[in-house]
């Protein structure tokens, strides 16, 4: 049995290695092997079907030689039997996600899978190829296109389709479209309505916090291995290359909208506020192909990812799948998505859609039923159980989302964070409450003594709760840190959900080793900035304003963009930065006349305002120092901040 570490109090972080699985975790895995239909291996056949070729170990590097993507570190997944430190159901999913390369879905439709967390779907038209989703990175997209050309012959990209707003589906667009195609507008870029608004709000405005939280969700700083990161549920991990946002040229507005793209007719279905705030599905009668984007994949998806997002609408999600079944049920001979592997045959396709439809409907309805009986979110999570028909469906397992946290998201969507018990209305923050808990429980030694007893009994959930209070009260108590790390580790080993496993194991690693050392946050790419509307740039600037520093300050700045014809008043007042479009203030402190792309260059740190003014790119009226004064009020967001221990630097 794994024993918790007993390192004594010290100011240093002791770098301990991962431990073995405890007896209680091993027993839990044995029960899983008996409970689930491991003899059903159809998914393995489907994941390998249509294979045409791949890149060795799926290795992709940048022009500087940096590894952007590789499956080589996951070689340990060649073993069929799960090790004691990985849930056997998650091990199965992790092995399925190792299939990589170019695959034929049906003649004329191909997918690149396993070169990113997401898929690229390639649909052949009359004169070229239509690319559906462009992966996360520019480097990955280029490698995917090269692989396709190698096996299907060189042909032009006739259109690009973004199924939804998440970066792993649009980040590599510049690896698919060259400068000539972008500049000339020769290639249609098709996306769902409100794509840009949501791509910006979900990936840029709250990006700094999301990126740090995503480290816990995806585990990029964890070692790959049986005691570390094995998968992300949707795929292996996130790609590490260059990302740029490209603005769509054609928006799909309504269900039933059709487009003839390179001679191929697409029929679209809108699915907003499902897996993404702007998302769509499509059917191609010519190929009898149904693509449900990310709303019908081989796992129970997230209704609220750990990285953070708007809560997703489980009821709407279920209805979209029901509508898709009504529109196209019995018509598709193949169904593919933008993650995982396809499904073939009318009966299997319709069954999967029905089960996924009912999975989200069950989670929604039963959460609301129990909520209306007065149960809180945590009580609902402890009570709810999937019906046997869904529990035994491999594509309904919680590798990415999980019923135990999805029900909490549903609760939050309807009732918010407050459980109506006044004790939850204004609790002390973690450090202050931690100190009081330690005092009430008789001090650190008493807590650790009880925690070791409960750890030995496998009561890891409460041990984590109790010892976390001690870590926040005494962050340099190495015995407490070691105990909490060991406890997180066992919880990770026991988790079927890849995201839970990654979060627990990364929490354990940070307690043992401290936060990873990373370079400062890079400037936003100029290509991404160019895709943003000017109003969105002002919104990004507004969230950087340090309110306390701006106390008592007032400022009015006029902006005139010569290339776009836009004018704005930027106003600082009451510690808030607001703007008015299409106007100029007669009493402005300063005014700036410039092309919009010069502003992009400044924000991307390719030049500075003084340099641009000196070169004549920016013309200034009034007091130019007022802009400097405004920029001095802006926060620079750190790439890393503490999560499982107290903040070391106070933030105001």
């Amino acid at each position: 049995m794994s024993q918790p570490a007993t390192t004594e109090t010290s100011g240093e972080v002791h770098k301990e290695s991962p431990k073995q699985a405890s007896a209680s975790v091993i027993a839990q895995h044995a029960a899983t092997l008996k409970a689930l239909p491991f003899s059903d291996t159809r998914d393995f056949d489907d994941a390998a079907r249509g294979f045409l070729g791949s890149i060795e170990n799926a290795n992709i590097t940048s022009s500087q030689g940096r590894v952007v993507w590789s499956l080589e570190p996951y070689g340990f997944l060649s073993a069929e039997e799960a090790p004691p430190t990985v849930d056997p159901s998650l091990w199965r999913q992790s092995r399925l996600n190792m299939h990589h390369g170019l695959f034929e879905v049906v003649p004329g439709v191909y997918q690149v899978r396993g070169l990113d967390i997401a898929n690229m779907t390639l649909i052949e038209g009359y004169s070229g190829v239509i690319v559906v989703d462009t992966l996360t990175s520019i480097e990955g997209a280029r490698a995917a296109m090269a692989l396709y050309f190698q096996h299907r012959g060189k042909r032009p990209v006739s259109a690009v389709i973004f199924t939804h707003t998440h970066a792993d589906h649009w980040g590599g667009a510049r690896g698919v479209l060259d400068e000539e195609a972008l500049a000339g507008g020769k290639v249609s870029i098709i996306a769902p309505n409100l794509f840009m608004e949501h791509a910006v709000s979900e990936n840029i405005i709250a990006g700094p916090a999301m990126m740090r939280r995503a480290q816990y969700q995806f585990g990029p700083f964890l070692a790959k291995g049986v005691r570390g990161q094995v998968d992300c549920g949707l795929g292996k991990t996130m790609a590490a290359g260059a990302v740029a946002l490209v603005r769509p040229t054609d928006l799909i507005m309504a269900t039933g909208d059709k487009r003839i793209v390179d001679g191929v007719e697409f029929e679209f279905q809108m699915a907003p506020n499902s897996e993404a705030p702007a998302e769509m599905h499509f059917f191609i009668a010519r190929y009898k192909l149904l693509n449900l984007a990310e709303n019908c994949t081989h796992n129970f998806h997230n209704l609220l990812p750990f990285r953070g997002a708007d809560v997703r609408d489980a009821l709407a999600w279920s209805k979209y799948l029901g509508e898709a079944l009504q529109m196209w049920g019995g018509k598709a001979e193949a169904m593919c998505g933008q993650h995982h592997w396809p499904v073939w045959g009318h009966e299997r396709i319709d069954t999967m859609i029905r089960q996924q439809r009912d999975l989200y409907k069950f989670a929604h309805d039963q959460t609301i039923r129990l909520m209306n009986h007065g149960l809180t979110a945590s009580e609902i999570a402890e009570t709810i159980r999937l019906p046997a028909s869904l529990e035994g469906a491999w594509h309904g397992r919680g590798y990415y989302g999980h019923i135990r946290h999805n029900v909490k998201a549903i609760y939050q969507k309807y009732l918010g964070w407050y459980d109506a018990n006044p004790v939850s209305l204004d609790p002390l923050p973690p450090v202050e409450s931690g100190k009081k808990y330690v005092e009430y429980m008789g001090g650190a030694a008493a807590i650790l003594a009880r925690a070791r007893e409960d750890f030995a009994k496998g009561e890891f959930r409460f041990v984590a709760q109790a010892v976390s209070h001690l870590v926040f009260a005494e962050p340099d108590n190495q015995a407490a840190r070691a105990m909490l790390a060991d406890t997180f580790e066992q919880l990770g080993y026991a988790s079927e959900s890849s995201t839970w496993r990654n979060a627990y194991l990364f929490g354990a690693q940070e307690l043992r080793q401290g936060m990873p050392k990373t370079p400062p946050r890079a400037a936003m790419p100029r290509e991404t900035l160019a895709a943003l509307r000017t109003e969105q740039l002002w919104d990004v600037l507004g969230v950087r304003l340090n309110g306390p520093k701006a106390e008592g300050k007032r400022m009015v700045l006029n902006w005139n963009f010569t290339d776009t014809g836009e004018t704005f008043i930027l106003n600082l007042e009451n510690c808030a930065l607001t703007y008015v479009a299409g106007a100029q203030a007669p009493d402005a402190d300063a005014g700036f006349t410039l092309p919009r792309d010069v502003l992009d260059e400044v924000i991307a740190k390719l030049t500075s305002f003084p340099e641009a003014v000196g070169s004549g790119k920016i013309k200034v009226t009034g007091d130019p120092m007022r802009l400097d004064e405004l920029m001095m009020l802006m926060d620079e967001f750190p790439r890393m901040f503490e999560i499982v221990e107290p903040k070391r630097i106070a933030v105001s």
Side-chain angles (χ1 to χ4, degrees):
M1 171 185 264
S2 173
Q3 294 296 321
T6 57
T7 311
E8 295 306 319
T9 301
S10 167
E12 300 178 357
V13 175
H14 290 198
K15 297 186 177 182
E16 298 175 344
S17 300
K19 310 291 173 47
Q20 63 186 8
S22 67
S24 59
V25 168
I26 293 171
Q28 180 177 318
H29 293 340
T32 297
L33 283 169
K34 293 180 180 178
L36 295 178
F38 284 89
S39 60
D40 181 357
T41 60
R42 288 177 297 176
D43 283 337
F44 287 91
D45 297 332
D46 290 343
R49 178 171 169 172
F51 177 71
L52 296 177
S54 190
I55 302 167
E56 185 177 1
N57 291 318
N59 285 325
I60 301 171
T61 57
S62 70
S63 57
Q64 294 78 35
R66 185 168 66 95
V67 175
V68 170
W69 180 268
S70 177
L71 295 183
E72 190 170 3
Y74 294 96
F76 61 89
L77 285 163
S78 60
E80 185 172 346
E81 184 177 346
T85 52
V86 185
D87 175 272
S89 175
L90 176 57
W91 186 258
R92 176 186 182 277
Q93 182 80 348
S94 303
R95 297 185 71 236
L96 283 163
N97 282 334
M98 284 295 288
H99 289 271
H100 60 89
L102 180 69
F103 299 81
E104 182 181 78
V105 181
V106 296
V109 179
Y110 303 85
Q111 280 196 315
V112 176
R113 303 199 294 271
L115 268 61
D116 193 282
I117 192 173
N119 299 337
M120 178 187 288
T121 303
L122 300 128
I123 299 164
E124 294 178 353
Y126 287 106
S127 63
V129 61
I130 303 154
V131 179
V132 181
D133 291 351
T134 59
L135 308 184
T136 306
S137 73
I138 295 169
E139 298 91 340
R142 285 178 180 150
M145 294 303 297
L147 181 62
Y148 168 75
F149 293 147
Q150 176 187 339
H151 291 275
R152 294 297 300 162
K154 183 78 173 179
R155 62 191 73 201
V157 173
S158 52
V160 170
I161 296 174
F162 297 141
T163 61
H164 60 290
T165 50
H166 295 147
D168 52 323
H169 300 267
W170 53 255
R174 294 297 295 266
V176 171
L177 299 170
D178 59 24
E179 290 291 343
E180 182 182 356
L182 284 171
K186 298 177 182 178
V187 179
S188 293
I189 304 171
I190 303 168
N193 186 36
L194 300 178
F195 175 88
M196 281 300 297
E197 288 79 358
H198 292 299
V200 171
S201 66
E202 196 166 34
N203 295 282
I204 296 177
I205 287 180
M210 281 190 182
M211 290 302 292
R212 170 63 169 138
R213 291 165 61 108
Q215 294 168 7
Y216 275 73
Q217 180 172 335
F218 296 107
F221 292 109
L222 287 171
K224 313 296 190 284
V226 298
R227 299 188 185 188
Q229 200 263 359
V230 299
D231 205 67
C232 286
L234 288 176
K236 302 315 298 176
T237 186
M238 293 297 293
V243 175
L245 179 60
V246 174
R247 182 183 292 275
T249 63
D250 183 11
L251 296 178
I252 303 301
M253 304 300 291
T255 293
D257 278 2
K258 295 180 180 180
R259 294 287 190 279
I260 304 295
V261 184
D262 194 10
V264 179
E265 184 179 76
F266 288 72
E267 183 181 11
F268 292 95
Q269 178 198 13
M270 303 302 289
N273 301 315
S274 53
E275 188 273 334
E279 188 152 354
M280 64 186 185
H281 309 150
F282 61 81
F283 178 71
I284 304 175
R286 173 179 171 180
Y287 292 119
K288 297 180 181 179
L289 175 80
L290 177 59
N291 187 312
L292 295 181
E294 203 167 322
N295 284 328
C296 190
T297 55
H298 287 275
N299 54 211
F300 194 6
H301 213 294
N302 261 318
L303 296 178
L304 181 57
F306 294 172
R307 65 176 172 83
D310 287 341
V311 177
R312 296 159 183 175
D313 191 334
L315 182 58
W317 195 323
S318 173
K319 289 181 177 179
Y320 295 137
L321 293 177
E323 184 179 54
L325 201 59
Q326 288 297 113
M327 293 175 69
W328 301 310
K331 296 180 180 179
E333 293 184 358
M335 179 175 71
C336 65
Q338 294 310 114
H339 291 273
H340 301 137
W341 51 94
V343 173
W344 288 268
H346 301 314
E347 184 177 346
R348 286 189 65 200
I349 291 169
D350 290 359
T351 297
M352 181 172 176
I353 296 173
R354 283 197 306 271
Q355 288 180 323
Q356 287 269 314
R357 173 198 66 190
D358 295 344
L359 177 64
Y360 293 97
K361 189 65 160 58
F362 174 88
H364 174 273
D365 290 356
Q366 295 308 303
T367 298
I368 304 303
R369 180 182 70 83
L370 294 170
M371 186 178 80
N372 285 331
H373 277 293
L375 274 66
T376 64
S378 58
E379 290 170 332
I380 295 169
E382 204 69 18
T383 302
I384 199 166
R385 295 290 182 275
L386 288 174
S389 56
L390 297 179
E391 183 80 13
W394 284 116
H395 62 81
R397 303 300 300 176
Y399 305 118
Y400 191 57
H402 194 282
I403 186 67
R404 290 180 63 83
H405 75 248
N406 277 344
V407 298
K408 295 176 182 177
I410 296 167
Y411 184 98
Q412 178 178 321
K413 179 173 178 59
Y414 282 89
L415 296 183
W417 58 268
Y418 180 44
D419 63 6
N421 184 338
V423 74
S424 305
L425 190 58
D426 191 25
L428 288 171
V431 171
E432 288 76 7
S433 62
K435 291 177 179 177
K436 294 303 293 184
Y437 273 109
V438 171
E439 178 186 339
Y440 271 52
M441 289 189 282
I447 294 172
L448 289 172
R450 292 188 177 93
R452 291 185 186 108
E453 293 176 3
D454 285 347
F455 185 99
K457 293 185 286 187
E459 297 180 5
F460 305 121
R461 290 167 66 193
F462 187 75
V463 171
Q465 287 180 260
V467 180
S468 178
H469 287 303
L470 178 53
V471 168
F472 273 86
E474 301 178 11
D476 293 326
N477 185 323
Q478 290 303 315
R481 295 177 73 96
M483 169 61 77
L484 185 55
D486 290 350
T487 306
F488 279 164
E489 189 169 64
Q490 295 303 315
L491 288 166
Y493 292 164
S495 296
E496 180 183 38
S497 168
S498 65
T499 54
W500 287 40
R501 176 185 175 90
N502 292 338
Y504 282 130
L505 296 187
F506 192 44
Q509 179 173 297
E510 290 203 342
L511 286 163
R512 289 168 175 160
Q513 301 179 13
M515 290 187 295
K517 305 299 182 187
T518 59
R521 186 177 303 282
M524 197 179 300
R526 182 180 177 181
E527 295 85 355
T528 299
L529 290 164
L532 305 185
R533 291 181 291 105
T534 307
E535 290 91 337
Q536 293 172 317
L537 281 180
W538 299 143
D539 290 339
V540 171
L541 195 63
V543 300
R544 289 182 53 204
L545 179 72
N546 186 307
K549 286 184 180 179
E551 182 69 48
K553 297 186 182 296
R554 191 178 189 284
M555 196 178 306
V556 179
L557 303 177
N558 281 337
W559 294 82
N560 181 2
F561 295 102
T562 55
D563 52 349
T564 65
E566 297 172 297
T567 57
F568 293 91
I569 304 169
L570 197 61
N571 185 73
L572 172 63
E573 190 175 13
N574 300 315
C575 301
L577 192 65
T578 59
Y579 58 87
V580 178
Q584 296 279 270
D587 58 345
D589 298 291
F592 303 91
T593 300
L594 68 161
R596 165 56 204 275
D597 63 357
V598 172
L599 180 62
D600 295 343
E601 290 179 5
V602 171
I603 297 173
K605 298 183 179 180
L606 300 176
T607 187
S608 67
F609 267 106
E611 290 172 347
V613 171
S615 65
K617 292 181 179 180
I618 301 177
K619 295 180 181 179
V620 182
T621 59
D623 182 3
M625 298 305 295
R626 296 293 275 163
L627 180 59
D628 289 338
E629 185 181 347
L630 176 64
M631 297 312 295
M632 291 296 292
L633 302 176
M634 297 293 158
D635 278 356
E636 290 290 341
F637 297 126
R639 188 169 182 180
M640 307 295 285
F641 51 80
E642 294 83 357
I643 289 179
V644 292
E645 60 180 309
K647 302 288 183 292
R648 300 287 180 169
I649 300 175
V651 179
S652 61

